[in-house]
Amino acid sequence: MFGKKMFSVLALTLVAFMALGSMASAETRVVLKPKVDAFAYFVDTSPSMAQSYKSTGNPKIVAALNAMKKLNAVVPELGYQSALYTMPDFATYAPKSTFSRAAMARGISAVPSDLGFFQSTPMGSGFADLDGVLKNWDGKFAVIFVSDGLANSGRSPAVVVADMAKKYGDRFCLHVISVADTPKGVSTLKRLASLTPCGVYVDASDLADKAVLDKFAQDVFYTQEEELIVEVVEQVTEVVPVPVPVQEKIVFRNFNFGFDKYQITDEMIPALTEAAALLEDYPNLKVLVGGHTDSTGPAAYNQGLSERRAKSVADWLAGNGVAADRLVVKGYGEENPKYDNNTKEGRKLNRRVEIDVQD
């Protein structure tokens, strides 16, 4: 939902007032929204994970579990489902349920760090076992694979993951936390992360850097969006003997467009309808409809694209009950990015139209 009302009623004990006009002020806040409906940690417990990780002196499995604990501490609880599984002997250490950091921490702690001996590491079979579980999952889901990338028997893991990517399409993202210490292991894991367009690869040791840790968490689990909070305070002059609402807050969120697109989509209609209804409640407010782009392409083209985006939103509002003379339309091109244009997610969020209140 892109807009909603939040009412605050002040009960007056002696007198209350009837509003004759209104004044508006605005501020923004950042909200977190989940990228996925569910996710699963998938941890490699094959014999090579008992070997020492780089120069730490710790086994790879210990480094892997420590990285997972760091990540778990910064994953926001946004209502997605979560689970924790291991391979090559497929086992469940956190059954699928609504994610909580405390429950997942218990699951991570339960994964054994004293690993048994296996004759081989059939990574492809491990992913096939995981697929047997994921086929029953609904919505969009992510898998965070934690491994050193060493496999020496059975089907190629890249073939199995490629088949999963084809079957699930954009519902499926495979991310990798790597404890690889060989070129072959690194190559295998980077290849797996590249098989889904949204896949992200990170080295476990790099997650000790808070900035890297927070970025990986955001890349995998959530987006940040700004919403505008408009506070409308009613001015009062006439005494009446009953309590009445004296202030309301209106929340607008941004409208995001696809690459090189400016047309209104069906997904925008419910939010636009609500925005129009909110504006009808306050006929004295003028609004600025501002269009923006990412930094892809020539600046002159982006300026025109931003103007077309703003105009499409303003035209829709004008055609659905909002007086056209209340709408100021402006394109900003690529000049006012709010997010990092060097990332796919940042560019997506910068392709936006914002509705703001004119002072």
Side-chain angles (χ1 to χ4, degrees):
M1 179 183 294
F2 286 77
K4 61 181 179 179
K5 290 187 180 181
M6 297 186 298
F7 295 98
S8 174
V9 179
L10 303 181
L12 306 181
T13 56
L14 298 177
V15 294
F17 300 95
M18 179 178 297
L20 296 182
S22 62
M23 297 177 61
S25 61
E27 61 182 19
T28 61
R29 67 181 177 190
V30 175
V31 295
L32 305 185
K33 297 182 66 178
K35 281 188 174 180
V36 292
D37 300 292
F39 69 89
Y41 287 113
F42 192 38
V43 186
D44 184 353
T45 58
S46 61
S48 63
M49 292 290 284
Q51 298 171 0
S52 179
Y53 177 55
K54 295 185 176 180
S55 59
T56 64
N58 289 324
K60 295 175 188 175
I61 185 63
V62 172
L65 295 175
N66 285 341
M68 292 172 63
K69 290 174 183 177
K70 289 186 179 73
L71 178 60
N72 185 62
V74 299
V75 177
E77 296 177 343
L78 298 178
Y80 19 55
Q81 299 286 293
S82 66
L84 192 160
Y85 307 111
T86 62
M87 59 141 295
D89 281 351
F90 192 82
T92 301
Y93 286 90
K96 187 182 178 189
S97 62
T98 302
F99 172 72
S100 80
R101 284 188 291 269
M104 185 56 72
R106 290 192 292 271
I108 295 171
S109 296
V111 175
S113 57
D114 184 13
L115 302 179
F117 177 76
F118 299 89
Q119 292 290 332
S120 61
T121 304
M123 187 185 294
S125 297
F127 273 102
D129 290 336
L130 178 66
D131 186 31
V133 174
L134 297 180
K135 69 182 182 181
N136 298 315
W137 286 23
D138 297 322
K140 187 171 184 178
F141 53 86
V143 172
I144 301 92
F145 184 44
V146 189
S147 174
D148 63 357
L150 298 183
N152 55 19
S153 70
R155 294 180 65 194
S156 163
V159 171
V160 179
V161 172
D163 288 344
M164 294 170 65
K166 182 177 180 180
K167 176 167 64 173
Y168 297 119
D170 61 5
R171 294 176 53 216
F172 171 45
C173 293
L174 177 65
H175 310 286
V176 170
I177 297 176
S178 169
V179 288
D181 57 358
T182 66
K184 180 180 179 181
V186 171
S187 176
T188 295
L189 293 176
K190 287 186 174 180
R191 170 65 176 153
L192 293 179
S194 72
L195 292 173
T196 59
C198 45
V200 179
Y201 173 97
V202 69
D203 193 290
S205 61
D206 291 338
L207 294 180
D209 184 324
K210 186 65 164 56
V212 175
L213 179 67
D214 289 341
K215 184 178 186 305
F216 184 75
Q218 183 172 346
D219 287 342
V220 174
F221 297 105
Y222 65 93
T223 61
Q224 295 187 82
E225 296 185 10
E226 279 193 330
E227 62 180 20
L228 177 71
I229 305 173
V230 183
E231 184 174 342
V232 181
V233 180
E234 305 291 351
Q235 296 178 318
V236 295
T237 57
E238 182 178 338
V239 176
V240 294
V242 294
V244 296
V246 297
Q247 91 176 11
E248 297 183 6
K249 289 186 177 180
I250 309 169
V251 177
F252 294 113
R253 294 188 189 174
N254 301 343
F255 297 88
N256 292 99
F257 289 77
F259 178 73
D260 201 25
K261 303 295 184 184
Y262 62 89
Q263 298 86 354
I264 299 299
T265 63
D266 291 342
E267 290 78 8
M268 295 179 184
I269 299 302
L272 285 166
T273 301
E274 190 165 1
L278 289 172
L279 293 173
E280 286 183 10
D281 287 343
Y282 298 98
N284 295 326
L285 294 181
K286 286 191 175 247
V287 295
L288 172 65
V289 183
H292 303 264
T293 72
D294 62 27
S295 59
T296 305
Y301 181 83
N302 287 336
Q303 177 62 36
L305 179 60
S306 70
E307 293 169 2
R308 291 191 292 275
R309 285 174 176 165
K311 186 175 185 301
S312 68
V313 171
D315 286 349
W316 193 97
L317 292 172
N320 288 271
V322 180
D325 60 4
R326 297 176 57 196
L327 304 172
V328 178
V329 180
K330 186 171 182 180
Y332 295 90
E334 61 188 60
E335 295 303 314
N336 292 326
K338 287 190 174 180
Y339 306 93
D340 186 357
N341 274 316
N342 292 317
T343 68
K344 180 179 178 181
E345 186 65 27
R347 292 190 295 273
K348 174 183 175 182
L349 294 174
N350 281 329
R351 298 192 292 265
R352 69 196 191 276
V353 167
E354 299 177 345
I355 300 177
D356 203 349
V357 172
Q358 291 280 87
D359 294 331

